Amino acid sequence: VQLVESGGGTVQVGGSLSFSCEASGLRYNDYTVAWFRQAPGKEREEVAGISTADDKTVYADSVKGRFTISKNSANLVTLQMNSLRPEDTAVYYCALDSGAPRDMVTIPPLNLYDAWSQGLQVTVSS
């Protein structure tokens, strides 16, 4: 499985950006996709996740109500980010877990993912 991520960029506080994550080489249609982010000097943290089996989503508290993850097609997931804040500045990665569908009560941890994107920068300036 390979993931190609597009989007991100630079925006002022309160602005919006979006990401797309396109998967290739999938053998099945049901999987979990999540976005993580990593700011300089910090650990990679979860942002949002979606199970393509039932479109169930889960978000980190820090982005709830501002970010939306959605499935656009069998192999394309997007992350819409609104009302961006300086603390959202980070490199964002999408990741795919091709294992059994997750319950999505929480975003599945880092070690469960089979594939990662290259990572793209989001910079929110004040």
Side-chain angles (χ1 to χ4, degrees), residues 1-6 20-26 31-34 75 93-97 113-119:
V1 176
Q2 290 188 321
L3 300 179
V4 176
E5 185 184 16
S6 60
S20 293
C21 184
E22 185 171 13
S24 62
L26 291 168
Y31 48 90
T32 301
V33 173
N75 66 335
Y93 302 85
C94 64
L96 185 143
D97 165 21
Y113 298 90
D114 306 304
W116 289 82
S117 68
Q118 74 276 26

Side-chain angles (χ1 to χ4, degrees), residues 3-11 15-21 34-40 43-48 59-60 62-64 66-69 78-95 110 116-124:
L3 300 179
V4 176
E5 185 184 16
S6 60
T10 300
V11 68
S16 299
L17 289 170
S18 64
F19 280 113
S20 293
C21 184
W35 257 275
F36 292 80
R37 66 187 181 187
Q38 189 165 19
E43 293 187 353
R44 194 168 296 190
E45 63 176 5
E46 64 273 12
V47 175
Y59 298 91
S62 58
V63 306
K64 206 170 290 184
R66 301 187 297 122
F67 289 15
T68 303
I69 187 171
T78 60
L79 180 70
Q80 177 66 39
M81 304 180 290
N82 298 327
S83 303
L84 284 162
R85 306 167 179 169
E87 54 265 38
D88 295 318
T89 295
V91 175
Y92 284 69
Y93 302 85
C94 64
L110 288 165
W116 289 82
S117 68
Q118 74 276 26
L120 291 173
Q121 178 71 42
V122 166
T123 302
V124 184

